[in-house]
Amino acid sequence: MSNVSELIQEMQTYYHHRAADYDVSMGYDQPEVVAQLADVIEHLRQLVTGKRVLEIACGPCFWTEQIYDCTHSFLATDYNQSTLEQAALKQLPAHKVQLQQANAYQLSDLPHDFDVVLAIDWLAHVPMSRMRDFLHDLHLHMKGQVVFCDQLPGSQSWTGKFDSEGNHLQLRHLKNDASYTVIKHFFSDTEIANIFSDFPVNVEIDRYPDVQRIVLSYSLNSTTI
């Protein structure tokens, strides 16, 4: 698929149809899986404690549920209403967590008074041709701390399939046998450095290989854009 806009739309459709099964498919309904993620969760909690948090692409809010209680406030956003409906089933307290439909590529539509912008399993899906514009828009409209948490590759992660702009592609299947092409980057340190090379930020990288997780974090200032 050569049209990146069509590929973005296909990913949005895929996650729309996956919403009801997402937590189960990730093992988030299993206490032992959640326990294994404890170090990652604790690291994220340390980054957001006492802060006003905006979460991009929150999905059904598994990660939100793990960390919201230590924040000042939490706005969890997602492109798909179906995922927000699943998030609402978690009955997170309305005085602390708000859910809102929003496009991560149109952050100007959101309030800008946040201390932390958080995105989990999102940056890995951003097309390389959209990466700089996405980050520029993020830095333009948000200030404070930025936190990205994504996956490290497992033994079956690499497909060897890339499109013309260098996006690593995976073919995903749902329970109804429908299949969708999804961008899924697995960033090396060099690739991370290249992605952020146009921005004056100091990216801290924390890896958790036992649970195949990576956390990128950095602070924004008035010259970041």
Side-chain angles (χ1 to χ4, degrees), residues 30-199:
Q30 302 173 32
E32 61 272 22
V33 171
V34 179
Q36 290 169 357
L37 293 169
D39 288 345
V40 182
I41 292 170
E42 179 57 28
H43 182 47
L44 295 175
R45 289 176 64 87
Q46 291 175 4
L47 291 170
V48 302
T49 294
K51 305 296 180 60
R52 297 166 296 178
V53 179
L54 166 66
E55 185 177 10
I56 296 171
C58 64
C61 279
F62 163 77
W63 294 93
T64 316
E65 188 176 30
Q66 307 305 312
I67 64 176
Y68 80 86
D69 61 297
C70 68
T71 68
H72 176 276
S73 59
F74 211 110
L75 176 60
T77 69
D78 199 273
Y79 180 86
N80 285 312
Q81 184 62 34
S82 58
T83 60
L84 295 176
E85 290 169 359
Q86 292 299 311
L89 297 177
K90 291 182 168 64
Q91 297 183 323
L92 302 176
H95 74 277
K96 180 78 80 167
V97 180
Q98 296 184 353
L99 304 177
Q100 181 176 328
Q101 190 170 14
N103 188 335
Y105 294 106
Q106 297 175 359
L107 295 176
S108 60
D109 296 338
L110 293 171
H112 303 161
D113 56 343
F114 297 99
D115 305 307
V116 177
V117 180
L118 171 70
I120 300 178
D121 292 334
W122 160 253
L123 195 67
H125 295 309
V126 177
M128 296 308 296
S129 62
R130 296 285 184 91
M131 189 69 73
R132 191 189 186 286
D133 286 347
F134 164 70
L135 290 171
H136 181 272
D137 188 50
L138 172 66
H139 299 166
L140 181 65
H141 294 104
M142 306 296 170
K143 297 302 173 190
Q145 186 91 350
V146 177
V147 181
F148 295 116
C149 177
D150 281 282
Q151 292 176 306
L152 295 173
S155 59
Q156 305 298 317
S157 300
W158 291 107
T159 65
K161 297 179 180 179
F162 294 84
D163 65 13
S164 59
E165 66 178 50
N167 297 309
H168 177 245
L169 304 178
Q170 293 178 334
L171 188 63
R172 302 280 187 89
H173 302 277
L174 297 180
K175 291 195 300 185
N176 63 0
D177 293 329
S179 60
Y180 299 86
T181 299
V182 172
I183 292 173
K184 186 67 172 181
H185 305 298
F186 298 103
F187 300 120
S188 67
D189 284 2
T190 299
E191 289 168 330
I192 293 168
N194 288 338
I195 287 170
F196 292 97
S197 61
D198 290 334
F199 306 101

